[in-house]
Structure formats: structure tokens, C-alpha cells
Amino acid sequence: MSGRLEGLVRRVVSPPRLASLGLHLLAVGIALAFAAAVLTGILAAYAISPGVILDVVGRFALTPEGWVAMVNKATTYYLAGLAAAIGFRMYLFNIGIDGQYRLGVFAAAVVGAAVSLPMVLQIPLLITVSCLVAGAYAAVAAYLKASRGVSEVISTIMLNAVATGIVAFLVAPERLGTRDEGSNNTQTPLMSESGWMPSIPVPGLGEIYGFTVLAVLLGVGFWVLTERTRFGFEQTAAGQAPRAALLGGTDPRRMIVLTMVVSGLIAGLVGLPELLGSATHRYGIGFPAGLAWVGLSIAIVGRNHPVGVALAALLWTFLERCALPLDLIGVPKEVVSVVQATVVLAVVTSYQLVHGISTRAARRRAASYARPAAAEAVS
């Protein structure tokens, strides 16, 4: 046991791994510095000093209650980021996260209102329903990609529109939805109380979604699945070198289907923190849309690693919370969207720079190992 632990520590602190980690941190630092420079330039155009921004953000965005709200929102974003990240590992762009999650959470809301089981059965049932519906919907794009070569970008965008129409049709009051008297808001009936997931109280500050704990566990499972299983190895191989993977016994088309379905299963969790943990416990028009783009952006910034995705989700949420304070001092809140897009662009660019440096370093190391071996063979 001690030998395995020693080997693990040696791998973690090995010079190449530390050098790679340092380069990745450098890339993040470059991206954030570039985004800060862009924000400073925009503020200069409004004749506002960065000190004023820090003061306003500190008073209105970084309050203790604000941190609780950020964690709750970041939980949703984190799940969307993981759903995108599992596809990115095979160069698949699952833009259909939005439609998949809305269908899944709508189905869970309908089942939650129609069925009343003990909590230990009700909550797993709702999670299963949401994941299965979202995963089955993602399988449509997976089949089109694997069997007909249809780009998943096109198919998932179209499927998002189809999902919007399906949910709008089904949530009508004469079908599966309801409408309170005097209101135009159509939504699903109130879920059974046994499906309400308990929150984690933070004294004096609010409550954190209980689903946040499951999101953390999902992040651990994501790392194990992608880094320590045959599925993760075959997924990486099929994504980076499909022909070589096929010669090695891995069917790239099968991996496309599996990856998209797993991405859809994770997407099915995206809306559950709000459905199970918020005060409404219904699916209605208040549910956020556009989470596919948020998930894709967060996965890019977080480099498809569960820890990186978590930090990126918090950063994304923090930037969004800064929108209101900026508006209070006369800076358009759309500036936040500009900064978010700048962060994504800067991260992509800086990581390409780091990737080039890392590749050249790996080649130099390989050459330094090869030269003595060749000289020994000649002698």
C-alpha cells in the first residue's frame, strides 16, 4: 500500500506534471489579465476608475448572502459545464444541452406532481426520469452523427428548437400544465412534497441547494470515468485518432453514441437543483434558457477538468452578479457579456500558446532520452 502511495505521490509531483500544471496556470493568468485589461479599457471610456468598480462590487456582489446565491447558481452552471466537457473530450459539441435539460426537467416535474413516494424513492425517481429523457433525446443527435454523418452542431441546434415546441405544447393548461386564475404563467402542477430536496442551511446567510453535494460527487465520478476507466481511454483515443482507435479495436461510431448519451444524461441533471431545491417546485417559463452556451463556455475555460469547470462556473456566476452593480453606476450590464466572451477567447488563445510550448518541451525531452540510447547502440 505504501509503495502504491509513494508511486502516486511521485507521479503527482513529477517535474513534467508540475511543469504542465504551471503552464496551465500561466494560461489562465494570461487570460484573466487580458480580460481585466479589456474591462479597464471599457471603464476608461466611461471615465470610471477600477477602484470605483471594486468598491461597488464589494458592497453589492461579494456579500456573504451573495456567495450563497453564487454557489446555488454555479451548481447549475457546473452541471451544464460537465455535460459539455464530456463531449469536448471527443471533440463533440453538444449544443443540445438546452433542449435536453428542458425536456428532462419538464418530465421530472410532471412525474413529481403525479407520483408521491417516500423521499428516498421519490428523489431518485425524479433524477432517473430527467436523466433518461435527456439522454434519450441526446441519442437522436448521436444516431444521426454516427450513422448518417450529420454534424452534431446542426442537429442539436435544431433539436433545441424542437424541444422548445414540445415543452410549449405539453405545458398548456389543457394538457399537462396549469394556469393560476388571473395569471398568464403556465406551469406544471406543484410537485409532491416528498420530491423537495432538503437544502443546506447557512446560518444568517441563506440556504445552499442540497443538489450541490450531488454535483460535487458527480465531478468526482466524471474524473474517475474519464481518467481511470477503459471508457475514458477509448473516448480519448477515438476522439484524437479515430483510425488508429479503429485499428486498436475501438469503434469510433460506438464511442460517439456513448459520449453523446452520457452528455445527455448529465444534461438531464442541469435543471434539477432549481426544480427540487427552489421554492416553486414547478416547471414554468421562469426556468433559464441558453444554458448550452454557458456550459460550453465554462467547459472551455475549465479545460474539461472537473476542478477547472467548477472554478470556471464560479467565475461565470461572479461576473453575472457584477452586472447589477455596474448598472447602478452607469455602466451597461452588457459589459459583463463582453468580458465573459473575452475570457473564453483569451483562454482558447493562451492555451494554444501553452500547448505549443508544452509540445516543444516534450520533443526536447524525448530527443534528450533518444540521443544517449542511439550512441550506446552505435558503440
Side-chain angles (χ1 to χ4, degrees), residues 204-285:
L205 304 180
E207 293 184 337
I208 294 176
Y209 289 151
F211 214 89
T212 303
V213 177
L214 293 182
V216 173
L217 295 177
L218 180 67
V220 176
F222 181 96
W223 181 83
V224 172
L225 178 67
T226 55
E227 301 292 342
R228 289 292 183 269
T229 66
R230 179 174 177 174
F231 171 82
F233 173 78
E234 292 185 340
Q235 186 196 35
T236 303
Q240 295 185 353
R243 293 185 178 180
L246 185 61
L247 293 175
T250 299
D251 185 356
R253 292 188 297 179
R254 181 176 66 88
M255 294 309 301
I256 288 174
V257 174
L258 289 177
T259 299
M260 281 296 289
V261 171
V262 172
S263 179
L265 292 173
I266 298 175
L269 300 172
V270 171
L272 291 180
E274 184 160 346
L275 178 68
L276 305 184
S278 70
T280 59
H281 301 291
R282 303 167 182 252
Y283 179 91
I285 59 175

Side-chain angles (χ1 to χ4, degrees), residues 109-149:
V110 172
V111 172
V115 178
S116 180
L117 299 174
M119 182 177 291
V120 294
L121 298 176
Q122 182 83 349
I123 291 178
L125 172 66
L126 301 183
I127 294 174
T128 302
V129 168
S130 185
C131 289
L132 288 180
V133 171
Y137 201 58
V140 177
Y143 171 77
L144 294 175
K145 172 77 173 180
S147 66
R148 297 291 180 261

Side-chain angles (χ1 to χ4, degrees), residues 279-304:
T280 59
H281 301 291
R282 303 167 182 252
Y283 179 91
I285 59 175
F287 263 76
L291 292 181
W293 294 110
V294 173
L296 292 168
S297 301
I298 288 174
I300 291 172
V301 175
R303 296 297 295 168
N304 305 325

